[in-house]
Every structure is written in C-alpha cells, then in structure tokens.
Amino acid sequence: MSIEPMKLFFKEIKKPIKTAMIGNYAVAGGITQTDPDVICAFPITPQTQSVEGLSDVVYQGRLKAAFVNVESELAAMSYATAACASGARTFTATASQGYLLMAEALPMAVGWRLPLTMMISARAFNAPNLSIWNSWEYVLIDFGWNCIVSENVQETYDAAILSVMISEDSLFPTMFVHDGFIISHSVQQLTLIPDETVRKLTPKKMRPTIDPEYPGTWGGIVTPDFFTEGRLGLDVAKKPVLGIIDDAFKRFKDATGREYNTIETYNLENSSKTAFITMGSMCGNIISWMTKNKDVGLIKIRTYRPFPYDELQQIVQENDIEKLIILEKSDSLNNLLPPFAMSTATALYPLGTLFRCFIVGLGGRDVTRDELDIAKKKMKHVMDMKGQLYTYLGARESANKLHEVEL
Amino acid sequence: MLTEKQVKEILKDHCLNLRFHARGGQGGVTASNLCVESFDGYGVCQPKFGAERMGSPTESYVRLSANYDLVRSNEQVYVPHFVSVLDDSLLSEVDVTAGMPDGGWLIVNTTMNQNEVGMTIANKNLNIATIDATNIAMEVLGRNITNTVILGALIRVSHLFTIDQLADAIMTRFKGEIAGKNVKAIKRAFEETCLYENPGGVEIDFKTDTKVPWQQVSLSLPGYKELDPAGVWYCDNKIMRVGSDQVNTGSWGEWNIVWDEEKCTDCAQCWFICPDFAIITEKGEDGKFHMKGINTFFCKSCQNCIEICPVNAIHKEPKQGPGSCAVPEA
C-alpha cells in the first residue's frame, strides 16, 4: 500500500508543481529529491509521517536508499552518524523525548564534521505531564548543530533541501525544525521544485570519510594535551557557517525564485519602534495579526544556530528599534531567561535595547490575537530592564483567573 | 444567503472559516483537504491536533481567503462560518455550533428535517442545511462514504468554489471510475440539499471578531495553584478531568456488545483483554471477582472479548437509532 500524497514523488518531477500537503510528507518529498543513501529514524509523534513517507518511496523503488529500522533514537543517531562518516548522505528525524534520548550521540556528528541532516517536529518534553503537542524542545540542547526554523509547509519543504546544501557545504550537521502538529499535520499549499533543480543544488561531493584504504581511529581518547585544541578547531571552523548558509539561501533563490534570509523583518519602520522577535509558526500568526496592528513590527529568526549575532544588532540599530517582545515556546526554570530569549538578550546587550520575554504556546496551547494584544500592551509600560525579564502569558493561576493578566 | 459576488468581496479582506465534524474513518480530513485543493485562492487545513481513532468524534478546520497574509496565521479556527456534520449522531455528543457567528450555516448529513435539527441547537440565528448524504452515497457510490457528498451541500450554501473546481480536485486525487461516481454524487447532493434560512434573516457580520477572549486557555479549568504540584492524577480527586476514564469510547462503536450471564464461567479472559476496562466485575461473598456486565460508556465494540470468550457468552448486535452505521465497514 502506498501513501497518497507521496505519489507525486514516485515519478521524476519535471516542472514546478503546485499542490497541498502536510508538513511531514512535504519534508519526506524534499528529502527524496535530495537522493539520500541512508535513512535511519525511530518513529515518534508528531514526526512519524516524514519517515513513513520515505519508507514508501524506498519501497516503491523510487529511492535507492538503505532504509534502516532501529530500536531507539539513540541507536538511530548512532547509526546515522556512522553511516554519514562512511560517506553516505544520511537523513534522520525525531522529536521531544526522542531528541533527548539522542543527546548522548548528538555531539559526535559535529565533532567529526559530518554533513548529517535531521528533521525535528518540535514537541514538548514530558514533565510534569506527558504532552504530544508543540513546544520548543530543540532549543534546550546546544551541541553545535546548524539549526533552520520554518514557519509553514513551503518553508519546511524548502528547508529539507536547503539543510542538505548547508550540511554538505559547511561539513557540520544541520537540523531543520517545524512546529509539531501546527505545521507537521496541517495541509498547506506549496510549490514543488523540479528534481533536476534539486540535483543541481545538492551535488554529491568528495569529503573526508572513513576509508578502509586509509585506516584511522574516529573518536579515540586524547589526554588533556589535545582536547582543547580539538574544541577550538571546531569553533574556528564554525565561524564561516553563517556565510555558507547565506550563500545557500542565495543559490536557492537563484534556482527557485523563493527568497530566504537568516533574519527576515516585517514592518520595522513602525510608529512605536517596537517589534516582536520569534521563530517558527508563530510568525505567521503575528503577520496575520499585523494586518490590523500596523504599529508593531516583526523580526523572524530563520537561522537559529549559529545565532546571527551581528546581523540582529545591525537590524535593531538601523531601524532604531527601542523595544523587543520576545515570544518563546519553551521555559527553563533557571531564574534567567529561556534559551531563545537568552540568545537574543546576548546579542542585544551592547545595544541596551529594552526587552521582555513572554512564554506562550507550551504543550500545544494556541497562540492567538489575545496573547499578541496583551504582549503589545504590557510592552508599552516597560521603561527599564529591572526585575524578572520573562513571564508566562495565557496561563491560568486559578479557575477564571489568568496569571499576570487582568480579565 | 450570501451570493457568489458577495463571497468574492468578503474573501478580499477576510478569512472564511469552515469546520467539519465527523467520526474517525469517515474522511472529514479528506473533505477539508478537498476544499483547499478546490479553492481558487489561499487556503490551509488543520485537523484537530491529537490522536484520531476509528469512530471517535473528529474535527478539522479550513481557512480560505484571497489575502495570503490572512491565511498565513497558524491560529486554530474559533469562528467557523460554515460547519459540516457528516454524522448526525454527533449532534447530541459534540457542540457542533461552538463559536459559530449569527448567520452562519450548519450543514448536516441527516434524514431529520430542519425542525428536528433545530431542536438540538441553542442559537436560533443560524441557517440550517440538511442533506441525506448517506442515502446518496449508498445509491451512487455503493458505500457509506459521505465526505465528498456533503461538499455538494457546502457549495450550494457557500459559493466558495464551484462543482467543476471540486471535480478537478477529485479527479486529481482519485483515479478512474470512483472519481466519476464521486462527482455524480456531489452534483446530486447540490440539487437535493434543503435550505432553511434563519427567520430573522440575520447575515454574518464580518466586521466584528466574535472569538471569545482567552477561549484557548479554557478559563474555567483549575489553574496552577489548584493542580497537583507534581501533575499527578489521583484516582479519588478528579481536579484534572483527563485520562482515558474520561473518554466516552462507548460512542465510537457501531455494535452493542451483549453478555449472557447464563453461559459465563467468570474465567476473566475478557477482563484482561479489554482495552478500555469496560468489563464490570464485583467481589462476591466467596471472595472472588464475578463478571457483572459491560460498561456501555467505555465499550467501543472492538470485539476482542467476543473473540477470546471460550464459551461464547458474549455476542454483538447492531446499534439502533442515529449513528447506527457510524463507520463504514472496511
């Protein structure tokens, strides 16, 4: 039995096709077009259909790839890392607890400079209760993977192809993220890229791999005489990655006409000199809301890692932004700020821009005009950087009483 | 009722929202996908996020507009202008009119007339369309699949797309004879839909946002101060109304499961295999547990107990009344 939406990818796509499908199948299609050699992943809601779709194209003979079933996410990441080290173009995908279970094996692909590609359907982790719905778990672990965040189905399809380009150009692993259910399970319109164009964008290139003709030990133990140099070497190698990502975006635009940037801005020349800053599907909510709220702008971060520190400063400075409203779908309980806000705050420190972080949309709670209205209103009264810099929005304190919001 | 021209004007500055109520397996999500594929403009479709199971009540949503920025929102649909109900047994189980603005259209697959449907609905300013889609599906398609059929009624009241546009989308999605039959069924549904506009002639006011503020937060539920500090669901103290013992799985099935006390040997094999704790047992004077019956709130007629019973003490009978054929036999 085959999966209906994947049928489009069974044949050579000769010209752009306008269609509609869910985020996960779109990713499966995009990855199919990049011609991976090994696909190894363990199913977890809401990531499942991406790997299911790929199993279908492999079964149909459309994709000549090894589809490997493993017993856990730790095994999936270990297997994918090793396959990638042996020279295979490799794809894996996960979410939530699966991502946390991978944690032990995640730094290896970075350290070994492997162009591994992973999709994440962002989902909450389990504490204090289990939730299969959307939060940003991917911001919690910071091992040096490149990270591209998508707002909608078209972007996540394109990100699948872009991530393969970025991985192989930078020789660092890349994860691309869409919000679980909100994008992974929503049917949205998108335009597919012809196979020939994808082939030209993602040529298979020579790179250092495990080679039986030239044996060596990968990941062997080193004394304190060597470890620091290894880490410094990685950090130096990471510096050009933002430029490599920009270059990939540019080549992608030349080939497809769709323009992407590390940071995208909307309506920053607004009267209140205030802007939202966030990532992912919430940007769409804000853009729709902004059709009636023209006094606020939006800064959308697409490249979350490496964080575009200089570019964000430049944008805030050039547009004279005085206040930033950080919207974040994760919390840290660390008495500082949650991870995305902490990254943003670090970049804003030299500028002294006023900001507050609002934690919204945890565990699949919808982010609506209510949250955006109240965040805007609260920001009007912010005149300094004293006190706690974050708050939960849209959370019940007790029945019929919202936390820090007058009803 | 809005004319085709009015709908075109509205779509320039507003989103038109649809909601489909169905049972898992009836194809509500496919129906909403077809709306996006047929619509000449921008559209997105979301299922109700979570796990969908055969026979359980499901919802899916569609947002359509000529303005891309409006459709770009990933917010859920709170104010559906057109609601389609694929199975009239849902009328008593789910609040199908939730969030509907005055002047909205409720489309129901039913053999009831508008008065009978109207009895189940509190808001008297809604318009009602009824269509016996099940009958059309059985006669034209030969199967009880009503998800495409009901779109014929939707076209009749909404003018969001034409029958030809829908036919194109169906031809792309389904191949061969079945595609043609679906188009035939849709055309028949378009003709046979009965329309009842609200007596006051109220039309939808697109200028006012009728979403209930903070609706997404479910304000009436307990807050963090009232919940267990570790998020534990204790059996005796139901502050958090969650867990499978809160779900009326009994409404999902198409069979009544009947237990014969005479034949039962209290072997308890059914108790072990039942996925929903629907086998009622009681401790007798002898200190042993005895079977007492089947809990219809939980029993979804999976028939595992019938399979496993060694003495044939359990059998099935078709449910009577509306929704008796909720899910088409595979």
Side-chain angles (χ1 to χ4, degrees):
Chain A
M1 203 180 98
S2 70
I3 302 155
E4 188 65 41
M6 292 308 294
K7 283 185 180 163
L8 279 171
F9 299 100
F10 291 172
K11 291 188 300 229
E12 171 96 13
I13 297 176
K14 294 209 170 77
K15 54 183 184 202
I17 299 176
K18 278 194 175 169
T19 181
M21 61 175 80
I22 64 167
N24 279 344
Y25 287 137
V27 166
I31 290 295
T32 302
Q33 291 181 289
T34 65
D35 189 25
D37 303 308
V38 174
I39 298 150
C40 177
F42 192 79
I44 182 169
T45 301
Q47 153 264 42
T48 321
Q49 295 101 334
S50 63
V51 190
E52 181 199 5
L54 282 163
S55 74
D56 197 24
V57 284
V58 172
Y59 173 72
Q60 297 290 336
R62 158 69 173 85
L63 188 57
K64 302 274 181 286
F67 187 90
V68 188
N69 290 307
V70 280
E71 77 277 15
S72 74
E73 283 87 357
L74 177 58
M77 182 44 68
S78 307
Y79 192 103
T81 305
C84 199
S86 74
R89 179 172 286 178
T90 312
F91 173 76
T92 185
T94 192
S96 181
Q97 300 297 113
Y99 181 54
L100 301 185
L101 184 56
M102 277 182 178
E104 183 193 335
L106 281 171
M108 215 58 88
V110 179
W112 292 354
R113 306 290 312 274
L114 301 177
L116 183 54
T117 308
M118 170 160 70
M119 183 202 84
I120 290 188
S121 269
R123 163 186 155 179
F125 57 85
N126 301 355
N129 292 96
L130 192 153
S131 169
I132 59 169
W133 291 273
N134 173 231
S135 281
W136 292 349
E137 86 290 43
Y138 62 93
V139 294
L140 296 169
I141 303 179
D142 220 357
F143 285 140
W145 282 62
N146 304 326
C147 179
I148 307 291
V149 188
S150 301
E151 176 198 314
N152 51 38
V153 172
Q154 178 76 66
E155 288 187 9
T156 196
Y157 164 78
D158 291 345
I161 295 157
L162 276 163
S163 296
V164 173
M165 295 165 67
I166 293 166
S167 292
E168 305 215 351
D169 290 351
S170 68
L171 291 184
F172 276 107
T174 306
M175 59 169 110
F176 59 101
V177 185
H178 55 235
D179 284 325
F181 282 112
I182 301 171
I183 302 305
S184 70
H185 285 62
S186 286
V187 175
Q188 298 183 354
Q189 290 155 324
L190 78 163
T191 308
L192 305 179
I193 306 168
D195 286 351
E196 186 56 32
T197 312
V198 179
R199 273 196 289 272
K200 279 188 184 147
L201 286 172
T202 57
K204 289 193 175 166
K205 293 180 289 197
M206 292 296 286
R207 60 179 166 90
T209 60
I210 293 175
D211 182 358
E213 302 295 319
Y214 185 50
T217 303
W218 293 57
I221 187 172
V222 290
T223 57
D225 294 332
F226 292 103
F227 192 78
T228 309
E229 283 68 27
R231 297 302 303 173
L232 174 60
L234 289 175
D235 188 63
V236 171
K238 266 247 127 173
K239 294 293 173 219
V241 172
L242 272 172
I244 290 169
I245 293 175
D246 284 341
D247 182 59
F249 286 153
K250 189 173 171 301
R251 280 189 292 133
F252 189 86
K253 186 196 165 198
D254 293 344
T256 67
R258 286 198 286 279
E259 184 175 351
Y260 292 123
N261 289 295
T262 284
I263 303 181
E264 285 160 22
T265 62
Y266 302 84
N267 192 33
L268 288 191
E269 288 144 10
N270 63 70
S271 56
S272 68
K273 299 193 173 178
T274 304
F276 282 94
I277 177 165
T278 188
M279 309 188 280
S281 65
M282 264 193 292
C283 296
N285 302 21
I286 298 170
I287 290 165
S288 286
W289 174 83
M290 274 166 39
T291 56
K292 284 180 189 155
N293 291 272
K294 297 190 192 295
D295 56 340
V296 185
L298 168 67
I299 299 173
K300 166 174 161 182
I301 305 284
R302 183 181 303 283
T303 311
Y304 174 60
R305 287 290 184 265
F307 196 80
Y309 177 83
D310 292 328
E311 201 182 330
L312 180 60
Q313 285 183 356
Q314 206 180 340
I315 285 168
V316 171
Q317 246 171 340
E318 278 176 6
N319 292 286
D320 234 352
I321 298 293
E322 289 172 1
K323 292 178 180 181
L324 279 177
I325 308 168
I326 306 171
L327 289 187
E328 171 140 9
K329 286 189 179 180
S330 66
D331 62 349
S332 286
L333 322 179
N334 62 8
N335 200 31
L336 291 167
L337 282 167
F340 172 69
M342 223 184 305
S343 302
T344 313
T346 311
L348 294 176
Y349 177 72
L351 306 178
T353 316
L354 299 179
F355 71 82
R356 285 294 183 277
C357 169
F358 296 98
I359 296 166
V360 293
L362 298 185
R365 178 158 293 167
D366 202 11
V367 181
T368 72
R369 51 211 107 154
D370 300 331
E371 282 85 353
L372 304 178
D373 283 337
I374 207 87
K376 180 177 116 177
K377 205 171 133 194
K378 276 181 176 281
M379 206 60 207
K380 271 192 186 143
H381 304 294
V382 171
M383 294 299 163
D384 55 38
M385 290 295 285
K386 287 177 186 150
Q388 181 173 293
L389 298 177
Y390 67 88
T391 184
Y392 291 73
L393 260 195
R396 293 185 310 273
E397 196 159 301
S398 50
N400 298 311
K401 189 171 183 330
L402 275 181
H403 181 62
E404 295 191 4
V405 175
E406 293 294 323
L407 285 173
Chain B
M1 192 163 77
L2 296 168
T3 63
E4 202 177 329
K5 210 176 150 193
Q6 282 170 321
V7 170
K8 282 225 160 62
E9 269 313 298
I10 291 163
L11 284 169
K12 283 182 190 166
D13 300 314
H14 301 276
C15 258
L16 273 170
N17 303 330
L18 319 179
R19 186 169 69 209
F20 288 85
H21 289 275
R23 288 188 181 277
Q26 288 180 330
V29 176
T30 307
S32 40
N33 288 359
L34 282 168
C35 292
V36 174
E37 285 159 23
S38 314
F39 179 68
D40 179 19
Y42 302 100
V44 293
C45 148
Q46 297 169 324
K48 183 171 189 173
F49 300 141
E52 177 187 315
R53 281 118 339 157
M54 190 68 98
S56 67
T58 63
E59 288 173 27
S60 55
Y61 314 94
V62 180
R63 270 202 313 272
L64 304 169
S65 180
N67 181 346
Y68 175 59
D69 276 354
L70 294 177
V71 173
R72 199 162 169 177
S73 175
N74 292 299
E75 210 178 280
Q76 285 156 34
V77 166
Y78 295 97
V79 184
H81 304 108
F82 299 95
V83 173
S84 306
V85 183
L86 271 70
D87 187 316
D88 61 5
S89 70
L90 291 165
L91 290 176
S92 53
E93 198 181 334
V94 183
D95 181 7
V96 295
T97 60
M100 284 182 78
D102 291 352
W105 277 94
L106 177 69
I107 304 156
V108 190
N109 166 26
T110 183
T111 51
M112 293 191 274
N113 64 33
Q114 89 276 20
N115 292 329
E116 289 166 305
V117 174
M119 298 262 277
T120 64
I121 291 157
N123 186 349
K124 298 299 167 201
N125 288 329
L126 297 180
N127 306 310
I128 297 169
T130 60
I131 174 75
D132 188 359
T134 305
N135 182 38
I136 297 175
M138 293 305 282
E139 283 186 21
V140 182
L141 305 175
R143 293 173 70 193
N144 183 13
I145 305 229
T146 56
N147 58 345
T148 50
V149 184
I150 205 156
L151 293 178
L154 178 70
I155 294 173
R156 178 84 177 271
V157 300
S158 71
H159 308 294
L160 283 165
F161 40 88
T162 62
I163 290 182
D164 289 340
Q165 283 170 324
L166 179 59
D168 283 348
I170 285 176
M171 291 297 184
T172 323
R173 187 178 263 264
F174 308 107
K175 296 280 176 266
E177 200 192 0
I178 192 73
K181 279 186 176 174
N182 269 290
V183 175
K184 198 177 154 201
I186 287 161
K187 283 184 177 159
R188 215 180 117 184
F190 182 87
E191 297 299 331
E192 291 181 13
T193 305
C194 304
L195 308 178
Y196 309 101
E197 298 197 41
N198 66 73
V202 181
E203 295 271 4
I204 301 170
D205 173 13
F206 283 93
K207 293 208 173 71
T208 323
D209 181 3
T210 52
K211 172 182 176 284
V212 179
W214 300 105
Q215 190 181 342
Q216 69 282 7
V217 181
S218 309
L219 281 169
S220 60
L221 295 177
Y224 79 88
K225 287 183 174 170
E226 294 143 344
L227 292 171
D228 182 82
V232 181
W233 323 335
Y234 288 102
C235 299
D236 56 344
N237 186 6
K238 277 285 170 202
I239 290 179
M240 223 186 324
R241 291 264 167 211
V242 291
S244 55
D245 64 342
Q246 299 291 316
V247 182
N248 179 11
T249 33
S251 82
W252 300 5
E254 50 185 318
W255 302 96
N256 281 328
I257 302 300
V258 185
W259 169 63
D260 185 348
E261 191 172 0
E262 297 292 308
K263 290 186 190 165
C264 180
T265 59
D266 279 337
C267 73
Q269 292 193 52
C270 55
W271 189 87
F272 280 107
I273 204 163
C274 178
D276 286 297
F277 292 107
I279 309 291
I280 306 166
T281 55
E282 226 176 72
K283 205 171 190 175
E285 284 171 8
D286 55 359
K288 291 176 181 164
F289 280 94
H290 297 277
M291 185 166 171
K292 286 291 163 202
I294 291 166
N295 185 332
T296 52
F297 185 81
F298 292 136
C299 174
K300 63 187 173 207
S301 66
C302 70
Q303 305 166 44
N304 284 349
C305 53
I306 299 180
E307 294 277 321
I308 206 157
C309 182
V311 292
N312 295 326
I314 306 174
H315 70 277
K316 63 181 184 184
E317 287 170 4
K319 270 188 191 171
Q320 300 297 323
S324 54
C325 195
V327 177
E329 291 265 3

